[in-house]
């Protein structure tokens, strides 16, 4: 009767409640949960290496206008001969072609797409890395579960030690 009059016991404090509070506020459990999250992230990263990398880029450059030096009337003068491809026959007369200029392009555009597929990684590294990451993730989850069980067991032991101390105090009084 004296035992049940104790303030904390009267309000229904039980070993299970103490254990659940201890697990909810344990730094060890939080650390194990963080480790499990990190291991899950590494597992996701290993799986993501299976996807090909696609890189897209675009570039625009504007060039200042340039003055072309004038060659024979504003362009380059070319000469040629009306003949079939190959060496010219001896004494072939050359004729002047009409003058022309090279256009100056002031706007330059570049569009690039690169697709990288890690074929050798598929064969040699990725599957092993994924399996390793999966095992590490499972290990971290089991480690987290073990920490929760240990904290809960230690809390229950502390609760029963506390209840025993109350009982000893009552007997001593």
């Amino acid at each position: 009767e004296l035992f049940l009059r104790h303030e904390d016991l009267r309000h229904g404090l039980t070993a299970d409640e103490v254990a659940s509070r201890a697990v909810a506020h344990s730094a060890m459990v939080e650390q194990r949960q963080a480790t499990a999250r990190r291991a899950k992230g590494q597992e996701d990263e290993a799986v993501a290496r299976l996807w090909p990398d696609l890189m897209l880029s675009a570039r625009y450059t504007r060039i200042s206008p340039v003055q072309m030096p004038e060659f024979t009337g504003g362009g380059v003068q070319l000469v040629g001969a009306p003949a079939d491809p190959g060496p010219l026959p001896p004494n072939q007369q050359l004729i002047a072609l009409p003058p022309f200029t090279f256009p100056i392009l002031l706007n330059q555009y570049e569009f690039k797409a690169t697709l990288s597929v890690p074929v050798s990684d598929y064969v040699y590294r990725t599957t092993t890395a994924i399996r390793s990451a999966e095992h590490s993730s499972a290990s971290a989850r089991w480690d987290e579960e073990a920490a929760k069980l240990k904290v809960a067991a230690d809390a229950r032991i502390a609760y029963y030690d506390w209840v025993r101390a109350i009982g000893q105090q009552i007997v001593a009084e």
Side-chain angles (χ1 to χ4, degrees):
E1 188 177 309
L2 290 174
F3 188 76
L4 295 176
R5 282 192 214 156
H6 194 276
E7 182 70 25
D8 289 326
L9 294 174
R10 196 175 28 186
H11 294 297
L13 185 64
T14 64
D16 290 337
E17 186 177 337
V18 169
S20 67
R21 286 182 189 179
V23 168
H25 300 289
S26 171
M28 182 192 323
V29 171
E30 284 184 34
Q31 189 256 343
R32 296 303 194 283
Q33 288 172 340
T35 301
R37 284 191 301 271
R38 187 183 76 223
K40 179 64 175 151
Q42 289 173 341
E43 180 182 345
D44 293 343
E45 181 182 334
V47 171
R49 286 189 211 128
L50 287 173
W51 293 94
D53 290 330
L54 175 63
M55 292 181 55
L56 302 172
S57 66
R59 187 170 82 178
Y60 168 75
T61 305
R62 171 77 177 173
I63 299 175
S64 299
V66 176
Q67 294 295 325
M68 276 295 278
E70 294 195 17
F71 298 104
T72 63
V76 177
Q77 187 70 40
L78 298 178
V79 292
D84 293 329
L88 288 175
N91 297 327
Q92 176 74 33
Q93 183 174 357
L94 298 176
I95 58 171
L97 298 174
F100 72 94
T101 59
F102 292 100
I104 299 172
L105 303 174
L106 299 179
N107 298 312
Q108 295 180 353
Y109 300 94
E110 177 186 23
F111 298 101
K112 190 189 302 185
T114 306
L115 181 65
S116 177
V117 180
V119 175
S120 62
D121 285 357
Y122 287 151
V123 177
Y124 297 114
R125 293 179 24 196
T126 306
T127 54
T128 305
I130 289 172
R131 267 191 261 120
S132 173
E134 287 171 348
H135 290 303
S136 294
S137 182
S139 171
R141 286 192 304 271
W142 283 112
D143 195 30
E144 175 189 350
E145 189 61 30
K148 286 179 182 178
L149 291 173
K150 181 182 180 343
V151 167
D154 290 347
R156 283 185 177 92
I157 289 170
Y159 173 80
Y160 289 124
D161 284 344
W162 174 73
V163 169
R164 184 179 46 160
I166 292 172
Q168 288 174 344
Q169 179 185 1
I170 290 171
V171 168
E173 287 174 0

